[in-house]
Amino acid sequence: MHPAPYPTRPYPTLPYPTRPQPALHLLNGLWVASCPTCGFQLATARTQARAERRSRRRVCPVCYEVA
Ligand SMILES: [Zn+2]
């Protein structure tokens, strides 16, 4: 028996780049992930999970100009 409560740790912060979450829209049966800031279309997929995963790998070329 443990009289003291189990020590709770703060949720570990993942080394994930701080990017805004892409906005997902369902258009005509197709999931469209777009930049939440400017609305640039990042990725499209048939499923929400796929669109989310694809868009996470992509960075908005409008908001984040890459050479
Ligand atoms: Zn953008």
Side-chain angles (χ1 to χ4, degrees):
M1 289 299 177
H2 300 280
Y6 194 82
T8 54
R9 293 182 190 170
Y11 198 79
T13 51
L14 297 170
Y16 205 75
T18 52
R19 291 181 198 166
Q21 289 271 36
L24 288 161
H25 309 279
L26 183 59
L27 297 172
N28 299 322
L30 193 71
W31 281 95
V32 177
S34 58
C35 175
T37 308
C38 69
F40 181 84
Q41 185 175 304
L42 294 167
T44 56
R46 296 236 171 174
T47 62
Q48 183 184 1
R50 268 191 158 184
E52 197 178 345
R53 190 189 293 178
R54 285 183 186 174
S55 61
R56 275 188 185 173
R57 292 188 175 183
R58 290 200 63 184
V59 178
C60 177
V62 180
C63 298
Y64 302 91
E65 283 192 50
V66 283

